Each structure stands twice: as C-alpha cells, then as structure tokens.
Amino acid sequence: RRRRDPAECDAGVRGGVAGGVSVLTLRAAKPVDAAFIYRVAETTMRPYVESAGKKWAAQGMRDKCEQDAADARTRIVVIAGADVGFFKVDSRPDDIVIDALLLLPEHQRSGIGSQLLNGVLRESALRQVPTRLFVYHANPARSFWQKHGFVAVGEANDHVQMEKHPQ
C-alpha cells in the first residue's frame, strides 16, 4: 500500500482564516517559488537565528530555499489564491518529520498551522509512527508545538528536538 503524503491530508480544508472562512490549499512547490520561500524563511526565522547568536547567512539560505523549491516534499500554502507560507514533511518508514511549517506573520495564529499539523497527526496515528521536528529555543512557535502535544526529547545546538507519539 502506498503511503500518503501527510502534507496533502488537509488540502481543500475550510477553516477560520482572517475573520472569515477561506479555503486552504496546498500546491507543489516549483523552482520559481524559491524567492517566495526565502522571503517567508527570512521573515519568520531570521530573528531566532540571530537571537541564537548566529549570523543570517543570506546566500546559504537562498541556496537552501532553491533546494526546498525543487524538493517534491515542499508544498506552498495557499489561502484564497494567495501564497501565505510553505510546508515540508518527510514521511519516512519509521516516523514523520516536519522539516518546515512557516507562514507569513499576518497568517499566523489563524488556524492554518493547526489545520496543516492535524493532517500530519492523522497520518501519524493511522501509521502508528511518531512525528518529529526541531525548533529554535527562542522561537515562540515552540508553544504551538507544545499546545499540540509535542514534548522536548533532546537538544542540539540552538534547537530543541520535539516529538509526538500517536495515541
């Protein structure tokens, strides 16, 4: 049986967004999306990279964003026809790893991240495998993950490794 891509689980789900009901869709990233992915990454992650005492390596990050844009696992999050973030999930045989769930600030705290995460967690429960991720210590998104049942299981440099096992 073919494993489903957990990033695809919530495509087309309706949810409260920006004071109304909008359609959340996911589309496969394309190389042309690299600049958008970089803008989202810089806007959302640069403060936490720098607060960890690291320099924002713009060219290295642009290179990574080009790789992400060409990666079949990367999805662009679209609300009402507008690109609002990106989502990258690696569904492996023994676990599911959330590599990125980044939304532009004006689309955070609107339920979009929870919708995306719920699709991954359904797949995790169906397959009975844990979901794992890394988050910067200083990133307030850490509370988002904790709210959804993720617990810290280790640390690596400036990151906390978190995971959630299916119930």
Side-chain angles (χ1 to χ4, degrees):
R1 171 183 138 150
R2 177 173 110 44
R3 281 184 290 147
R4 294 184 323 180
D5 179 351
E8 295 293 328
C9 291
D10 276 335
V13 170
R14 293 183 181 273
V17 179
V21 177
S22 295
V23 176
L24 179 155
T25 58
L26 298 172
R27 66 172 177 79
K30 302 174 290 215
V32 70
D33 292 313
F36 171 74
I37 291 171
Y38 177 82
R39 181 168 64 92
V40 174
E42 181 179 33
T43 302
T44 59
M45 296 306 299
R46 186 174 188 159
Y48 311 116
V49 169
E50 291 176 344
S51 75
K54 294 186 174 187
K55 183 178 180 214
W56 181 256
Q59 188 56 54
M61 195 55 158
R62 281 190 179 88
D63 293 345
K64 181 184 181 324
C65 291
E66 286 179 11
Q67 293 169 2
D68 285 342
D71 190 322
R73 297 169 297 179
T74 304
R75 299 289 180 264
I76 302 299
V77 181
V78 182
I79 296 289
D83 296 347
V84 301
F86 73 100
F87 187 40
K88 184 178 176 184
V89 177
D90 189 4
S91 184
R92 305 182 310 192
D94 296 326
D95 63 5
I96 298 171
V97 177
I98 299 173
D99 289 324
L101 195 172
L102 299 175
L103 301 169
L104 290 169
E106 60 269 26
H107 296 282
Q108 295 173 4
R109 294 180 174 82
S110 64
I112 298 168
S114 293
Q115 286 183 34
L116 295 168
L117 179 58
N118 287 338
V120 172
L121 295 178
R122 281 193 296 277
E123 183 69 17
S124 169
L126 181 69
R127 293 182 38 217
Q128 287 296 295
V129 297
T131 302
R132 297 188 166 105
L133 58 94
F134 284 90
V135 63
Y136 273 99
H137 284 284
N139 190 333
R142 187 172 171 184
S143 64
F144 167 83
W145 301 112
Q146 290 169 327
K147 177 180 91 170
H148 288 282
F150 283 78
V151 296
V153 295
E155 296 189 23
N157 299 325
D158 311 319
H159 293 82
V160 176
Q161 181 182 358
M162 302 184 83
E163 64 183 43
K164 180 174 182 174
H165 290 266
Q167 314 253 1

